[in-house]
């Protein structure tokens, strides 16, 4: 029986947690103004923008990963950006994984926040306006606190979806230990090399993680329903 190497288990776990945490924080920053605009804008073409944001939900991960690989490669914008610090490409780098994860997990963050903003309605914002609150103050003092359940849902879904990525991260990141070998890729690698013990440990951990995510979502929805009532 092969000796269990905990270093090979910890490295992809650490990398995955770093990727999911950074991606979730960036998505909350980037996705919030997008969600606010989609919720409040009267533009006729806003649903076209919403469709573009939601495309990663229905696109096969390999298709999205293929085009991201071209964009992040030496001949794409990613290569030009990487050239600013002397690199040739953003593909097969941690930075490339972050950019790919931002696009891949975007709809799972934007949509819950948009739904929360839309559920607020116009009345609280109009009341704030009558009290001479600026749009900026209204957003931070009224809209964001009232949409807090949406932000919580978005954070949970964004983090969980990033942790579970496989096709996209494999396409744009490959399988470089300590650099791009995240949890899902490590499980695939262990199965291919018939290292069942390591695969069982990581896969079992993902099962437990999935249960916790679903339970958290149900608790958030139940508390939100109580507050609404």
């Amino acid at each position: 029986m092969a000796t269990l190497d905990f270093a090979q288990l910890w490295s992809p776990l650490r990398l995955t947690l770093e990727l999911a945490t950074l991606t979730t924080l960036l998505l909350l920053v980037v996705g919030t103004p997008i969600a606010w605009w989609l919720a409040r804008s009267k533009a006729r073409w806003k649903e076209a923008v919403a469709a573009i944001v939601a495309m990663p939900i229905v696109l096969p991960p390999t298709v999205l990963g293929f085009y991201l690989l071209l964009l992040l490669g030496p001949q794409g914008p990613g290569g030009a950006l990487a050239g600013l610090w002397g690199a040739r490409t953003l593909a097969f780098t941690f930075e490339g994984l972050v950019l790919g994860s931002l696009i891949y997990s975007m709809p799972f963050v934007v949509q819950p926040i948009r739904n929360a903003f839309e559920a607020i309605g116009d009345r609280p914002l109009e009341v704030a306006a009558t009290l001479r609150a600026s749009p900026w103050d209204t957003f931070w003092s009224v809209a964001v606190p009232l949409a807090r359940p949406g932000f919580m849902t978005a954070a949970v879904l964004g983090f969980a979806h990033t942790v579970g990525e496989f096709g996209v991260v494999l396409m744009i990141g490959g399988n470089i230990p300590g650099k791009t070998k995240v949890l899902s890729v490590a499980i695939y690698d262990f199965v291919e090399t018939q290292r069942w013990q390591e695969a069982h440990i990581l896969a079992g951990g993902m099962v437990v993680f999935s249960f916790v995510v679903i339970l958290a979502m149900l608790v958030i929805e139940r508390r939100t329903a109580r507050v609404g009532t």
Side-chain angles (χ1 to χ4, degrees), residues 34-219:
I34 296 175
W36 178 253
W37 182 82
L38 290 174
R40 305 299 302 174
S41 175
K42 304 299 182 182
R44 293 182 179 179
W45 44 275
K46 75 171 185 178
E47 294 306 331
V49 175
I52 293 174
V53 172
M55 281 183 67
I57 296 178
V58 296
L59 270 179
T62 49
V63 173
L64 182 59
F66 170 69
Y67 285 111
L68 285 174
L69 184 61
L70 296 180
L71 290 173
L72 298 176
Q75 307 302 321
L81 182 62
L84 296 177
W85 56 84
R88 291 187 61 253
T89 177
L90 284 178
F92 308 109
T93 65
F94 181 77
E95 293 79 9
L97 287 184
V98 172
L99 290 175
S101 299
L102 286 174
I103 296 174
Y104 189 47
S105 297
M106 179 75 73
F108 296 91
V109 172
V110 171
Q111 194 58 46
I113 299 177
R114 178 188 178 180
N115 292 340
F117 281 149
E118 290 177 340
I120 293 173
D122 295 330
R123 182 61 179 169
L125 306 180
E126 292 172 351
V127 171
T130 61
L131 297 176
R132 297 184 178 181
S134 67
W136 185 256
D137 289 336
T138 300
F139 176 77
W140 286 108
S141 301
V142 179
V144 170
L146 290 177
R148 184 173 60 181
F151 281 96
M152 295 172 61
T153 300
V156 172
L157 285 179
F159 187 90
H161 192 254
T162 304
V163 169
E165 289 181 56
F166 176 70
V168 171
V169 295
L170 184 62
M171 289 287 288
I172 65 177
N175 186 7
I176 306 175
K179 190 174 182 181
T180 63
K181 187 176 183 178
V182 294
L183 198 57
S184 56
V185 177
I187 294 173
Y188 179 78
D189 189 41
F190 285 138
V191 171
E192 273 204 322
T193 55
Q194 298 186 5
R195 298 178 63 178
W196 305 111
Q197 188 176 11
E198 289 89 343
H200 274 304
I201 292 174
L202 294 183
M206 289 294 290
V207 171
V208 174
F209 174 75
S210 300
F211 171 78
V212 172
V213 169
I214 294 173
L215 180 62
M217 293 297 303
L218 293 175
V219 171

